[in-house]
Amino acid sequence: MELIAAIEQGDAARDNEDWVHVSQDLVLVLDGATARTDTGCVHGVAWFVGQLGQAIVERTRQSSLPAAVAASIPYVAGLHPECDLSHPGTPSAAVGALRIRGGVAEYLVLGDVSVVLDTGDQARVITDDRVSLTASAERAEADRYPIGAAEKQAALLRMKQQELAARNSPGGYWVAETNPAAVDHALTGQTRLDYLRRFAVLSDGAARAVAAFNLYDWRGALDLMQAAGATELIRQVRAAEQSDPQGTRWPRNKCSDDATAVFGLING
């Protein structure tokens, strides 16, 4: 199996809140949720995703993907008991994983990381975009204003507050933070490896190439990464972002987002 990966922060002045692990038997991508409010945590989102990612990798050696993620959540909470983990803004992350074992590719998606599976006949995309269905009025209001405008920042704060109220609750959306029961709502499944031609795991910053900017469809994005690498996909995302720095063509919360892309070729 051939594997290529790229990760790039969206803003050089801020920590990268994506995290990635790539090995022959496990691809894991975490995408930390942007903190627009206080979090009650002195460590920050980048620290949280790094600790959670490492904990998941260690636990996948002995457990299923859901069990590994569920066990890692309280473990990381135990690493910073001095923080207010009951704070509504406590750090959280979306998780996307693909594990290869015994001729089977097993996947887990918790939040809006995307796992793309290409069997040759079709490219199947597994992602959970329930967060985008929350705070619809506040989201629409934020989209009215250019990036950098004071009105947009105020609208984004109101949007975030509504998102946090819906996080890890019935009728809302589910991500990794302090409650391991969130994993019960993850999207999981598996496919036989001999059916799988190639795959990708992308944070939403890299998935912008398809989901936001329509530069490619999913199969086209896989073709690009197979031919030119994951770095080229992110380069094209950055070019699109810079062509629309105020978000007037493609309304979005920030000009550039942290972006992670992993591509795997299994049966080429």
Side-chain angles (χ1 to χ4, degrees):
M1 179 171 63
E2 299 177 25
L3 286 166
I4 54 174
I7 180 170
E8 183 180 292
Q9 64 202 93
D11 184 340
R14 297 173 57 90
D15 290 337
N16 192 339
E17 295 172 347
D18 279 7
W19 188 92
V20 63
H21 167 88
V22 180
S23 65
Q24 286 292 311
D25 62 349
L26 178 67
V27 172
L28 176 64
V29 172
L30 272 62
D31 183 354
T34 300
R36 300 187 187 278
T37 68
D38 292 337
T39 65
C41 175
V42 300
H43 300 91
V45 175
W47 177 89
F48 174 78
V49 296
Q51 297 298 320
L52 182 62
Q54 292 169 21
I56 294 171
V57 171
E58 292 171 3
R59 284 156 181 77
T60 56
R61 299 188 180 102
Q62 303 294 330
S63 303
S64 68
L65 286 178
V69 178
S72 297
I73 289 171
Y75 168 77
V76 174
L79 295 179
H80 58 142
E82 71 276 17
C83 297
D84 180 6
L85 302 182
S86 65
H87 193 288
T90 193
S92 67
V95 180
L98 186 77
R99 182 171 70 174
I100 295 173
R101 180 176 294 183
V104 171
E106 173 192 9
Y107 65 81
L108 176 146
V109 172
L110 181 62
D112 57 2
V113 173
S114 297
V115 172
V116 187
L117 306 175
D118 184 3
T119 62
D121 295 327
Q122 63 176 347
R124 181 185 176 198
V125 184
I126 303 100
T127 190
D128 187 345
D129 62 356
R130 279 178 283 186
V131 65
S132 67
L133 303 178
T134 65
S136 56
E138 293 81 5
R139 197 177 303 277
E141 177 70 7
D143 283 347
R144 292 180 53 209
Y145 303 109
I147 293 167
E151 296 91 341
K152 188 177 189 73
Q153 293 305 112
L156 287 173
L157 178 58
R158 292 191 293 270
M159 183 193 80
K160 187 67 175 184
Q161 290 167 338
Q162 291 298 312
E163 282 185 359
L164 292 175
R167 185 175 68 179
N168 287 0
S169 63
Y173 65 102
W174 303 88
V175 289
E177 38 110 91
T178 60
N179 185 357
V183 180
D184 295 340
H185 301 271
L187 307 179
T188 61
Q190 61 183 34
T191 186
R192 283 176 45 180
L193 203 59
D194 54 0
Y195 291 164
L196 188 60
R197 179 187 169 205
R198 54 189 182 171
F199 69 84
V201 184
L202 306 104
S203 68
D204 66 344
R208 282 180 168 187
V210 178
F213 301 149
N214 296 310
L215 304 178
Y216 299 94
D217 61 15
W218 287 108
R219 181 160 283 173
L222 293 172
D223 290 342
L224 175 68
M225 289 188 284
Q226 183 172 346
T231 300
E232 176 60 18
L233 180 77
I234 294 176
R235 188 197 68 77
Q236 293 193 22
V237 167
R238 296 291 184 244
E241 291 167 342
Q242 293 306 311
S243 74
D244 179 39
Q246 292 187 309
T248 54
R249 178 180 179 185
W250 296 299
R252 55 197 190 276
N253 297 342
K254 48 191 171 183
C255 179
S256 296
D257 196 7
D258 300 333
T260 302
V262 182
F263 172 83
L265 181 64
I266 297 176
N267 299 299

